[in-house]
């Protein structure tokens, strides 16, 4: 196996959560789980199938149009009124170019942004959004845009208006969200988890999205362009996830304990957690962007992982890396669970996450300047004064 692009993980109990025991994440796992699980879920790229959106009946699919990186709403239409409401514009898949002028404008705004005094904030370079469950749909506006019902079931958090036809402009137009801060208009989603015995869905009880530096420096980091799409994990991966496997659900809590559970489900793929732990999962996204595309045919080729030395030539733009820290109000059972992406195999290996990013541009710029570039710990709204 190639060497990991991540820095060496801290031992359990010495990471962020031991110092800051609150929120969704957990002391027993700390940074180590982020790094190990993240490496596992990004490894496979060839197995992901590019989904090109065919024409939808009654809707003419337009050619891909550059998306405003500034996050500003589209200008009002000057076309004459029609007797019938216009058909909804549906995005196509494939290579989606960034609007270079808008991206240049966002970068110019970032360069003008001055860091606020950090006070007693900690030195973990990150900010975050804490989100609640919003809705469930068999839709995927990244992989199957404009095709309602074409996906396995997904559980969405963040932007409340997301469906198969959602575009980047829609995220800025319809901004009601289940996330804090509310200046985050993004949509995040994962395959729905089900109880194997009852076949009832188990929705997320906590969903924290970290935006962080994975490296020992923040040289050259810039904000994430609005409209960027990304996927971590592999919905088509279907292998067992026994005790100790990478890319599995784990038991999270504050204090000592076995993250693999004190027991396993009958098929061995799911932990059974002791008190007071519950099921968690972490997904790690890359930190280098090609600077030219908001999406790619397999939804991964426009992004990659860098190193402490910087980003590779093909992906030269260093951006904050997303980490999904997902909690479920479930403790495990002998019958186990299954994901909507693998109802037959009933393992955790097909777990994956999607992010369709849209922020108030000034808010994103300030957070990247304060928290990532300055390498200070921030919470939902600003510097985190409780970190050490």
């Amino acid at each position: 196996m190639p060497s990991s692009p991540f820095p060496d993980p801290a031992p359990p109990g010495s990471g962020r959560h031991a110092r800051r025991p609150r929120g969704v994440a957990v002391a027993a796992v700390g940074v180590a789980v982020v790094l190990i699980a993240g490496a596992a879920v990004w490894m496979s790229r060839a197995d992901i199938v590019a989904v090109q959106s065919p024409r939808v009946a009654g809707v003419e699919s337009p050619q891909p149009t550059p998306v405003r990186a500034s996050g500003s709403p589209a200008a009002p239409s000057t076309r004459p009124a029609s007797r019938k409401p216009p058909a909804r514009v549906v995005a196509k898949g494939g290579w989606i170019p960034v609007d270079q002028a808008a991206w240049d404008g966002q970068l110019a705004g970032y360069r003008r942004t001055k860091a606020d005094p950090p006070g007693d904030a900690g030195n973990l370079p990150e900010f975050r959004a804490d989100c609640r469950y919003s809705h469930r749909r068999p839709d995927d506006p990244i992989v199957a845009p404009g095709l309602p019902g074409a996906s396995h079931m997904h559980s969405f958090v963040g932007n409340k208006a997301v469906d198969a036809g959602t575009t980047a402009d829609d995220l800025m137009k319809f901004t009601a969200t289940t996330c804090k801060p509310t200046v985050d208009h993004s949509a995040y989603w994962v395959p729905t988890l089900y109880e194997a015995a009852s076949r009832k869905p188990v929705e997320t009880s906590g969903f924290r999205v970290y935006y962080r530096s994975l490296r020992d420096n923040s040289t050259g980091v810039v904000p994430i362009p609005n409209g960027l799409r990304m996927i971590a994990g592999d919905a088509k991966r279907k292998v067992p996830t026994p005790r100790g496997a990478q890319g599995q659900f784990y038991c999270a809590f504050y204090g000592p304990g076995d993250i693999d559970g004190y027991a396993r489900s009958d098929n061995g793929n799911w932990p059974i957690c002791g008190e007071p732990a519950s099921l968690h999962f972490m997904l790690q996204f890359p930190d280098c962007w090609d600077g030219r595309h908001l999406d790619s045919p397999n939804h991964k080729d426009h992004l990659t992982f860098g190193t402490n030395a910087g980003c590779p030539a093909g992906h030269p733009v260093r951006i904050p890396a997303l980490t999904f820290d997902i909690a479920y109000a479930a403790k495990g059972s002998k019958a186990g669970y299954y994901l909507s992406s693998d109802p037959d195999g009933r393992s955790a290996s097909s777990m994956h996450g999607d992010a369709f990013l849209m922020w108030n541009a000034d808010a994103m710029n300030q957070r990247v300047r304060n928290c990532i570039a300055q390498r200070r710990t921030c919470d939902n709204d600003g510097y985190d004064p409780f970190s050490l």
Side-chain angles (χ1 to χ4, degrees):
M1 178 177 292
S3 59
S4 171
F6 301 105
D8 292 336
S14 66
R16 91 182 57 256
H17 309 307
R19 289 178 284 175
R20 198 169 37 147
R22 66 186 191 282
V24 185
V26 345
V29 183
V31 180
V33 170
V34 179
L35 304 181
I36 296 171
V41 299
W42 188 260
M43 292 293 288
S44 175
R45 303 177 91 171
D47 290 343
I48 296 200
V49 177
V51 177
Q52 297 292 342
S53 174
R55 298 185 185 275
V56 180
V59 178
E60 183 72 14
S61 297
Q63 293 298 314
T65 54
V67 177
R68 292 175 174 80
S70 65
S72 58
S77 173
T78 58
R79 300 172 68 178
S82 171
R83 293 182 182 179
K84 294 182 179 180
R88 181 175 179 180
V89 175
V90 176
K92 287 184 71 174
W95 292 103
I96 299 178
V98 70
D99 181 329
Q100 194 61 49
W103 172 232
D104 288 345
Q106 186 176 353
L107 286 178
Y110 175 65
R111 295 187 186 103
R112 293 192 298 269
T113 302
K114 304 299 182 184
D116 297 321
D120 59 353
N123 60 358
L124 299 173
E126 66 185 29
F127 60 95
R128 68 177 190 245
D130 282 314
C131 306
R132 293 177 291 104
Y133 168 72
S134 173
H135 59 283
R136 187 169 59 246
R137 285 181 180 272
D139 292 348
D140 192 323
I142 293 179
V143 174
L147 297 174
S151 173
H152 50 256
M153 192 65 72
H154 282 116
S155 296
F156 291 83
V157 305
N159 195 295
K160 294 181 178 181
V162 175
D163 60 20
T166 295
T167 66
D169 284 343
D170 290 334
L171 295 176
M172 186 55 70
K173 197 179 304 179
F174 308 107
T175 58
T177 183
T178 65
C179 291
K180 293 181 180 179
T182 57
V183 289
D184 179 7
H185 310 313
S186 308
Y188 312 102
W189 60 95
V190 293
T192 301
L193 180 69
Y194 290 88
E195 294 178 343
S198 67
R199 302 196 176 192
K200 291 181 179 178
V202 180
E203 294 301 351
T204 59
S205 57
F207 201 115
R208 177 169 288 180
V209 183
Y210 287 104
Y211 290 73
R212 53 166 47 128
S213 170
L214 300 178
R215 312 302 164 198
D216 64 7
N217 66 86
S218 295
T219 304
V221 69
V222 296
I224 294 175
N226 270 329
L228 189 66
R229 288 88 152 159
M230 57 179 71
I231 295 177
D234 185 352
K236 297 184 179 298
R237 183 173 172 79
K238 298 176 182 179
V239 298
T241 48
R243 175 182 293 274
Q246 290 186 336
Q248 66 164 313
F249 281 69
Y250 63 93
C251 297
F253 44 87
Y254 295 107
D258 190 340
I259 65 173
D260 286 332
Y262 73 88
R264 305 290 289 187
S265 60
D266 288 336
N267 67 5
N269 290 328
W270 303 88
I272 300 176
C273 303
E275 292 293 343
S278 62
L279 294 179
H280 278 237
F281 200 94
M282 280 192 172
L283 285 162
Q284 182 62 62
F285 294 77
D287 58 346
C288 294
W289 173 49
D290 71 3
R292 298 180 294 129
H293 301 100
L294 299 175
D295 201 3
S296 51
N298 68 356
H299 317 292
K300 291 193 173 187
D301 281 348
H302 58 305
L303 299 160
T304 196
F305 285 103
T307 66
N308 288 333
C311 290
H315 299 77
V317 183
R318 176 174 281 183
I319 57 175
L322 272 67
T323 304
F324 285 1
D325 183 359
I326 311 164
Y328 293 86
K331 304 186 71 63
S333 69
K334 294 302 288 182
Y337 301 86
Y338 64 88
L339 293 165
S340 59
S341 45
D342 185 16
D344 298 323
R346 298 192 175 186
S347 82
S349 59
S350 67
M351 184 63 168
H352 57 283
D354 298 48
F356 197 162
L357 300 171
M358 182 64 65
W359 280 69
N360 173 285
D362 291 340
M364 167 65 77
N365 287 352
Q366 192 67 60
R367 282 165 170 79
V368 174
R369 179 65 71 195
N370 286 352
C371 316
I372 309 298
Q374 199 174 214
R375 301 189 71 79
R376 293 291 183 168
T377 310
C378 299
D379 55 22
N380 304 102
D381 298 311
Y383 290 122
D384 187 345
F386 298 102
S387 298
L388 299 176

